[in-house]
Amino acid sequence: MKFQWLLILLTFIAGCADSYTEQTSEPDTLVLKVAAAANLQYAMTEIEKIFEENQPDISLEISYGSSGNFFSQLSQLAPYDIFFSADTKYPRKLVEQGFIAETDYFPYASGQIVLWVPEGSPLDLKTSGIQILLDPAVKKIAIANPRLAPYGLAAVEAMQHFQLYDQIKDKLVLGENISQTAHFIESKAADVGVLAFSLVRVPERNDRGQYWKIPTDTYSQIIQAGGILKTSPHPAAARHFREFVLGPNGQEILTRFGYSIPEAN
């Protein structure tokens, strides 16, 4: 009888050990948390797909939003591994504040802005260009919030360059980020808007609207930069992903979505 109880006890202990091993074993795939500016959504989705095909041991978890909001979150130690901003200002601030090492800061793309109207709009951008903003038919103009989104700030600079801003500022509808700005136009909450060129290169907009490139000498160059957070638990994997984005595959995708290779900044 004692032998039977001893056998049962040993079996129970062995089962507990197996259960503990299962619960504490490391997952096969490392999850890298990425904070990315909203203008990157389509390009980054393609980058994510190819990167994960080549690196099946690393899974990307990407969140999109305004660079300003991400800066606030990262300053409060939000749990991200790597940050892709829509400008250089916010990553530089994180370097200055000690959240990103200087060696882990990197420029990765340079963007452009365009005017965009949805399919069926009576507005003719090809003929009027930015002067279309003065058309009486234009009641609402969507841009990203210039306090949070670099593409919104570029939109304001262009309007000021053409001496239009004071005449149209009361018509502005501000999106929290550039993706929400696009939604305002698509949903007819705005008649026209200023978007990142990368967002109109995708079929769902390229085939359902028209755009006009705003001359790049009318606004500050939009150099986009990023950085690896010092608090990242996976710095090696984050650097590996950075090198992929900066390498031939990543740069080819970014170029195809309307970005250009930036100068070091």
Side-chain angles (χ1 to χ4, degrees):
M1 193 67 161
K2 289 182 180 180
F3 175 78
Q4 290 178 330
W5 277 109
L6 181 60
L7 185 61
I8 293 172
L9 180 61
L10 290 173
T11 302
F12 175 77
I13 292 173
C16 289
D18 289 342
S19 175
Y20 178 79
T21 300
E22 290 176 3
Q23 293 175 12
T24 59
S25 61
E26 289 294 323
D28 294 333
T29 303
L30 179 153
V31 177
L32 199 67
K33 295 186 177 181
V34 181
N39 69 86
L40 289 167
Q41 184 169 359
Y42 296 101
M44 192 63 80
T45 297
E46 189 162 333
I47 287 173
E48 176 184 18
K49 178 177 180 293
I50 296 175
F51 177 77
E52 290 184 345
E53 286 175 353
N54 286 278
Q55 299 293 328
D57 57 329
I58 300 176
S59 175
L60 301 179
E61 183 178 295
I62 305 177
S63 300
Y64 298 99
S66 72
S67 299
N69 280 340
F70 276 132
F71 168 75
S72 297
Q73 294 173 30
L74 294 170
S75 298
Q76 298 297 319
L77 302 179
Y80 290 101
D81 295 286
I82 188 168
F83 176 38
F84 290 87
S85 179
D87 65 358
T88 61
K89 179 180 74 172
Y90 291 121
R92 276 292 180 200
K93 281 187 175 182
L94 291 169
V95 171
E96 293 167 5
Q97 295 177 5
F99 295 103
I100 292 174
E102 179 66 38
T103 53
D104 285 328
Y105 165 91
F106 57 94
Y108 63 89
S110 182
Q112 302 177 56
I113 53 175
V114 300
L115 279 177
W116 190 78
V117 295
E119 185 179 24
S121 171
L123 302 173
D124 185 2
L125 293 181
K126 293 181 180 178
T127 301
S128 302
I130 202 166
Q131 296 299 322
I132 203 74
L133 299 179
L134 297 177
D135 191 304
V138 175
K139 306 299 183 185
K140 297 292 183 182
I141 303 165
I143 68 171
N145 189 333
R147 293 189 301 104
L148 299 173
Y151 279 82
L153 181 60
V156 170
E157 290 179 351
M159 292 172 185
Q160 291 172 334
H161 174 87
F162 287 104
Q163 300 182 347
L164 300 175
Y165 181 74
D166 289 338
Q167 300 174 69
I168 62 177
K169 61 183 179 181
D170 293 336
K171 297 181 179 181
L172 296 180
V173 178
L174 305 182
E176 183 176 320
N177 55 59
I178 203 70
S179 292
Q180 188 180 68
T181 304
H183 176 71
F184 286 160
I185 310 167
E186 291 171 322
S187 65
K188 307 296 175 63
D191 304 294
V192 61
V194 179
L195 299 181
F197 186 34
S198 60
L199 295 186
V200 304
R201 298 275 286 188
V202 294
E204 50 261 56
R205 291 200 181 93
N206 193 34
D207 299 336
R208 288 166 42 197
Q210 58 173 308
Y211 69 85
W212 181 79
K213 279 189 180 182
I214 298 175
T216 56
D217 60 356
T218 65
Y219 55 90
S220 300
Q221 187 179 14
I222 307 175
I223 297 178
Q224 302 193 191
I228 297 166
L229 283 302
K230 287 184 178 180
T231 52
S232 168
H234 311 296
R239 292 186 183 103
H240 190 60
F241 181 53
R242 174 190 63 187
E243 295 311 310
F244 182 85
V245 173
L246 298 179
N249 286 332
Q251 291 293 296
E252 186 277 328
I253 293 170
L254 289 169
T255 300
R256 187 153 33 87
F257 277 88
Y259 297 97
S260 57
I261 299 174
E263 301 173 1
N265 194 334

